Structure formats: structure tokens, C-alpha cells
Amino acid sequence: MQKTLVLVKPDGVQRGLIGTVISRFENRGLRLAAAKFMWVSPELAANHYAVHQGKSFYDALIKFITSAPVMAMVWTGPDAITAVRQTIGKTKATEADPGTIRHDYALTTRYNICHASDSPENAEAEIALWFKPEELVEWKRASEDWIYE
Ligand code: CMP
């Protein structure tokens, strides 16, 4: 079982899409392990997006992610990192496949509704950055025996 970090970013929050995003992952069979509705400090934004420092879109990205609250979540399940990124779709919304969140709700690259970890190493680091260990909830969905083989 893998864990991955998902953010519903300020555009998704302001457009009332938190529930839609959560439904997509619930319907897929993934299990919510943690959730926190919060403002992002400039320090947390800089840490989270450190890999993009120096890129042309970095300053606008930091301004964007701190411009309204985000819904930070941890989702778990078999192959959760790949499954979540598949459900979200490609970073550039106009390249995302039909049926993905970014295709269905976004048009640009910056305002692309969600963030999700892209590797096991980054998932571990991002979860540790956004959540304390005691904020992760251990539980089992009753439906899992019929979804996880
Ligand atoms: P996310 O998955 O959160 O990871 C980095 C974010 O930077 C990305 O989603 C977009 O919001 C933003 N981003 C990535 N590439 C670009 C780009 N070329 N122009 C503007 N924003 C970008």
C-alpha cells in the first residue's frame, strides 16, 4: 500500500471543487488517511516547491499557492501514487486526458486544480512536510476487500 500527498489548490478551493476531487478518489477506491484545510505560509510554499526555484513560473506559483486556502490530504491504496496522478491528469490541462480532473475542470498549467506527489521518495518527503505522523489516520474502508483483490 502506498501513500501520496494531494493538494486541492486555491483555484479548486475557490471554485468549490474540494468535494468533486474527494469524490473522484473515493470512487476510485482509494482511502483517505489525512486531511487539513489551511492557508499555506510562504515558508511551506517555498519548501514544497523548492524543486521549481529559479524556473520562470516560480514566483507566480508561490503567489498562487498562498493566495487562498488549500485542502491538503493524504490518500492511500495499492499503487496510490500512480493511480492519483492518472485520475488528476497531466500538469498542462490542455494535455490531460478526457475524464481526468484537470481535463474536466481546468484550462491552463498553473491553475490546474490539484497537486499530487510524483514518486515514492517525493510522496514520503511531501507527507512529512505537510502532516505530523500523528495526523495520519489508520483505518480500513469496508469496501476494500472488494477493490484491493
Ligand atoms: P503541480 O503539480 O502543483 O506542480 C508544480 C506546479 O507548477 C504545477 O502543478 C503548476 O501549477 C505549476 N506549473 C508547472 N509548470 C508550469 C508552467 N510551465 N507555467 C506555469 N505554471 C506551471
Side-chain angles (χ1 to χ4, degrees):
M1 294 275 271
Q2 279 185 337
K3 287 189 176 74
T4 188
L5 181 89
V6 175
L7 306 176
V8 182
K9 300 201 279 191
D11 55 333
V13 170
Q14 290 287 15
R15 291 175 55 198
L17 294 172
I18 294 173
T20 297
V21 171
I22 289 175
S23 287
R24 296 276 180 126
F25 298 136
E26 283 187 326
N27 291 346
R28 190 94 197 256
L30 293 159
R31 182 206 303 163
L32 185 64
K36 210 190 291 195
F37 184 63
M38 58 187 280
W39 283 94
V40 182
S41 69
E43 294 74 28
L44 177 56
N47 268 326
H48 178 73
Y49 283 130
V51 68
H52 296 300
Q53 212 160 0
K55 294 185 184 166
S56 59
F57 58 84
Y58 177 78
D59 289 346
L61 178 60
I62 297 299
K63 194 172 168 200
F64 163 56
I65 201 73
T66 56
S67 65
V70 305
M71 186 71 171
M73 299 178 280
V74 176
W75 286 88
T76 187
D79 226 356
I81 295 165
T82 301
V84 162
R85 286 181 68 84
Q86 184 186 38
T87 293
I88 286 177
K90 287 195 181 146
T91 304
K92 187 176 179 185
T94 51
E95 290 176 357
D97 288 332
T100 62
I101 292 169
R102 285 170 172 164
H103 171 280
D104 292 354
Y105 295 99
L107 285 171
T108 70
T109 304
R110 186 178 312 128
Y111 288 11
N112 61 3
I113 313 289
C114 297
H115 166 86
S117 309
D118 63 2
S119 66
E121 302 72 40
N122 285 343
E124 197 180 333
E126 291 178 357
I127 291 167
L129 182 63
W130 288 79
F131 289 93
K132 298 183 190 122
E134 61 268 26
E135 290 174 325
L136 298 182
V137 178
E138 292 290 338
W139 68 297
K140 188 180 163 185
R141 275 180 75 180
S143 56
E144 284 171 15
D145 288 344
W146 297 95
I147 299 169
Y148 297 173
E149 294 182 342

